[in-house]
Structure formats: structure tokens, C-alpha cells
Amino acid sequence: MLMSYNEENIYDFEQEHDHEHEHEMPKSDKYTEALNKYNTDLKDDEVTYATNNILNKYQHENNTKDVKKFLFNCIDLTSLKCTDSDESILKFTEKVNEFVDKYPDLKNVAAICVYPNMAEIVNDGLEADDVKIACVSGGFPSSQTFTEVKVAETAMAIHAGADEIDIVMPVGKFLSGDYESMCDEIEELKAVCGDKTLKVILETGALGSASNIKKAAILTMYAGADFIKTSTGKESIGATPEAAFIMCKAIKEYFLETGIKIGFKAAGGINTVEDAIKYYTIAKEVLGEEWLNNGLFRIGTSRLANLLLSEITGEDVKLF
């Protein structure tokens, strides 16, 4: 039944437990048992309504210089092009180094994100403090290769200097209901990562519904993700505010259930400062102030860095 909304229930519209799902599969299925702890029977129109209410009510107050400085410090500065080369990635890295001298009063980007074969170039060239090296791995962007290849690629990226690994959830396995294979693979890759950060991309534009996004978020967190991320940026549908809302709700509910804080990363088609402020607003209102640091909140982009710097400084910046 479609709910009527007011300000008191806008954030807890999906908290009511849906017991109908408890009898769909045997209780011995640990993945179904995990999903049964949460309401995953979401309605797309209700999610859109709740998301728009947050943005309409709070987005304007976050259009400030301090928020833009924070967002810059949360960027995973990304280069994932077929034309990437040792030379181009070294120049890319040197721009991050230059930032330190040009803007000594501002915090740098959170990470440089590249393909695994470029990790060593970044590692050798990076001089800026507090900037992580992130690598996509695991058959990015489709996740369609042998698990053994994903394991080897991830191990090699870490050996080459990666601090963080971004993989894509096996979307095909999820959509066919093979939760066990999907989760086993994520668990195996997290084991390879050890204490390195594992970000799992849900590719929300391919999941088809709000309910599927919620289920995927929960399963990937239970399988060991340190962050959940919206998109690769390689599909026609990238990040959306609705997907971010669902994922942040799932992260908060998972924290209340387990006491474990999982990070959120928005990526895929985030091209404007206004876009970034939307994702900040959703994270702030759904997750709370505790998530407003670059250990738990990231934005994957390359285009946004110059735009944010330009608005922060009041000048036309073209550093990156």
C-alpha cells in the first residue's frame, strides 16, 4: 500500500519490517537470512519522493565554500581511459603534487584512482601526503572474468602500491539469484585486500529497481565491502540521487544492526558542483555527521576537481 508522507516519517519510510519474505527460501540460506533483517520491498516512486524531499529541504543550505572544500578533499581523482600511459599518469600524479604548493591552505584530493598496471607509476611519483592510491580491479568494469584472474589482478595492484581497491559486484550472478557465488567472490577479494580498503561497485543503473539496489547493498556489506559505490561510469546510467539514498539507508541500517560503519562513494556522471552537493546532502541527512569525512565518503570524478577549485578560489582553475 502506498504510504502517505510527512516530515516525521520521511526518513523511516522503509523501517517497518516486511515478514512476508521470511518464508520465500529455507532458513538455512544465510544470504536470505541476512536480507530478512531489512526491508527490501521498496517502491521506486516512494524512494523518489523521499529523495526529492531531502534535496528540496536541505540542498540549498549546503551550497557553501566549506562544503566545497570538504567535497574536494573527498575526490577520488580518476583516470580510467584506454589512452592512459605511463607518461600521462605520471603527469596526472604530478598535478596532485603541484596542488600542495599552489594551495597550501586547502586539503588535497583523497586518492588517485587508476588501472592496476598504473599503480606503480603513481606510487613512484606521488609526493603529496594523505593522498591514497586506488585501483580498479577484478575485471573492471564488467566483472566478467575468472575469479582467479580477479584475485591475481587485485594482489598485483596491492603489490604495486595500491591502498584501495575498487571492484564491481558480479551483477549477472546477483540478477540470476546466485547470491552465494557473488558473495563468495567478494569475500575472497576482501581476503586478498587484507587491511586495504575494498570498495564494491553495485552498478546501480544495471540493477533495475530500488529493491535490487537495497539487496545488493546489504549483501555486499555482509560479504566484506568497506565501501559501497554507485557506478563504474562506463554504463549509460551512472549515479543517481535515488540510488544514493537507498545505499545510504542500507549503510545506516547495517550500522544499527552490526555496529560496523561502511563508507559510501558516488561515482559515474558526476559532472557539476551541484551534483556533488546533492550527494553530500543525501549522505549528511541519511547517515549523519559521523560519515562526513573522506574515510567514509568519497566522490569518484576527474571533471569536478577544477570546478570545485574554481568556486572555492573565485578564479578559473585548470590545474587538473
Side-chain angles (χ1 to χ4, degrees), residues 60-69 277:
H60 68 282
E61 68 186 40
N62 294 321
N63 189 12
T64 68
K65 186 176 286 189
D66 283 344
V67 168
K68 291 168 188 174
K69 288 179 180 179
I277 292 172

Side-chain angles (χ1 to χ4, degrees), residues 203-221:
E203 201 65 281
T204 54
L207 295 182
S209 69
S211 183
N212 275 346
I213 294 171
K214 181 75 175 286
K215 290 176 183 177
I218 291 164
L219 290 172
T220 52
M221 289 188 287

Side-chain angles (χ1 to χ4, degrees), residues 75-134:
I75 289 176
D76 282 0
L77 194 69
T78 304
S79 186
L80 298 171
K81 302 188 290 289
C82 67
T83 54
D84 288 344
S85 65
D86 290 1
E87 183 181 15
S88 70
I89 294 300
L90 182 58
K91 288 180 179 177
F92 192 64
T93 304
E94 287 171 348
K95 290 175 182 178
V96 175
N97 296 335
E98 288 173 29
F99 176 88
V100 179
D101 293 328
K102 289 190 175 184
Y103 303 97
D105 297 329
L106 295 177
K107 291 183 179 180
N108 215 326
V109 296
I112 297 174
C113 183
V114 294
Y115 282 112
N117 56 314
M118 297 296 170
E120 188 173 0
I121 300 296
V122 179
N123 193 37
D124 289 346
L126 184 62
E127 298 170 0
D129 295 331
D130 301 320
V131 178
K132 303 291 187 183
I133 301 171

Side-chain angles (χ1 to χ4, degrees), residues 29 88 166 229-230 251 299 305:
D29 186 317
S88 70
D166 290 35
K229 174 178 169 183
T230 55
I251 289 168
I299 295 178

Side-chain angles (χ1 to χ4, degrees), residues 11-29:
Y11 299 114
D12 59 6
F13 79 101
E14 59 178 282
Q15 295 294 320
E16 205 171 307
H17 193 86
D18 184 356
H19 291 284
E20 293 176 6
H21 296 286
E22 291 182 355
H23 305 292
E24 289 180 0
M25 294 181 70
K27 289 287 278 186
S28 59
D29 186 317

